[in-house]
Amino acid sequence: MFDVTTEIHFVMQEGRLKSAKIIDGRAVAAEIRVECCERVRRLAEQFGVTPGLAVIVIGDDPASAIYVRNKVRACADVGIRSTRLPFRHDVDPAVVTRAILDLNADPAVHGILVQLPLPPHFAPAKVLRAISVDKDVDGFHLYNVGGLVVGDTVFPPCTPYGVLRLLDHEGISLEGKNVIVVGASNIVGKPMALMLMQRDATVCICHAKTRDLAQFTILADILVVAAGHRNLIRAEMVKTGAVVIDVGINRLEDGKLVGDVDFEAVRLKASYITPVPGGVGPMTVTMLLVNTIASAERIARGAGAGQRDAAVPADVAQ
């Protein structure tokens, strides 16, 4: 088991600095997708079930279109049946809510995903609350978010889940480690911190109002960065031998994608580092597949959440 407190990769080797090991998210995701194919095969053989994912897309945001296309392609690769439900950007939210409730009742659908962001006239929290807990494969329902606090979530949010799988794959221990999470979003930062705490890490969250960010990041055995700011983390802000997980995605004017970490400089100081692209991104989509298959398995075995979400909140049903 790797221990960042005792194993330092920032060493001189034949007169040169040895850089961090690059964690290949594409390779890890490919391994997990092989497992996904096998699980889909077993579902078909044992229960006659094919996992189904419904993706609701509102408007014509170019970035959302790319993300949805990648998700649909990934589903096809492992044998998940996907259905894309497009709506105009000016659609009445009540129409989308009704579509979600219909999908909740459809036994052929095991996962429901609403592609974010939504148009300004939508209340995202209300839309996400309409999704059944049993089919909330993005892990954004209030039940799943709240379940992270007590360790009883049905589906973990895909990006933090993917980060943990990367750390597990590399044999990086979390118990007792100082972990700094930069970014406090509801999608990544907050659930990431809760999931790390469940692994007995000592966690600190930094955000846009944090003063002197470097005084926190320099203490991190493991640094998870999800702030959405290019080159926010520089080499002098990172402890020698730290594990650096870059969740950020920033598109430059020339179209190139970069993360939140100054990759070339930090890799000479870290022990492990994820690249952008090719690090956390492929894992996010893959964990969506894992959650969808898990949902189909739970429902096939009669192990759904049952009555926990049977009563739709009044403001959602309207």
Side-chain angles (χ1 to χ4, degrees), residues 245-297:
I245 306 295
D246 192 350
V247 185
I249 301 178
N250 307 283
R251 188 175 295 276
L252 304 182
E253 292 181 359
D254 62 3
K256 181 182 178 182
L257 292 179
V258 298
D260 291 351
V261 175
D262 182 352
F263 180 81
E264 292 301 331
V266 172
R267 69 184 294 191
L268 295 177
K269 197 172 184 182
S271 57
Y272 288 77
I273 191 170
T274 58
V276 176
V280 176
M283 294 296 294
T284 297
V285 176
T286 298
M287 302 327 291
L288 173 67
L289 306 179
V290 170
N291 279 349
T292 302
I293 295 167
S295 175
E297 291 170 341

Side-chain angles (χ1 to χ4, degrees), residues 1-2 21-32 158-174 192 195-196 199 222 224 243-247 272-284 286-287:
M1 187 71 70
F2 172 76
K21 178 182 178 182
I22 297 175
I23 302 175
D24 188 345
R26 291 192 179 100
V28 179
E31 291 180 13
I32 296 173
C158 297
T159 298
Y161 192 10
V163 170
L164 288 184
R165 290 292 295 264
L166 285 176
L167 294 172
D168 289 343
H169 182 272
E170 298 299 328
I172 296 170
S173 172
L174 290 168
M192 185 81 259
M195 293 169 75
L196 289 163
R199 298 286 197 93
I222 300 170
V224 181
V243 175
V244 180
I245 306 295
D246 192 350
V247 185
Y272 288 77
I273 191 170
T274 58
V276 176
V280 176
M283 294 296 294
T284 297
T286 298
M287 302 327 291

Side-chain angles (χ1 to χ4, degrees), residues 172-193:
I172 296 170
S173 172
L174 290 168
E175 184 177 351
K177 298 299 187 299
N178 289 331
V179 183
I180 306 298
V181 178
V182 180
S185 71
N186 292 333
I187 295 175
V188 181
K190 292 175 184 175
M192 185 81 259

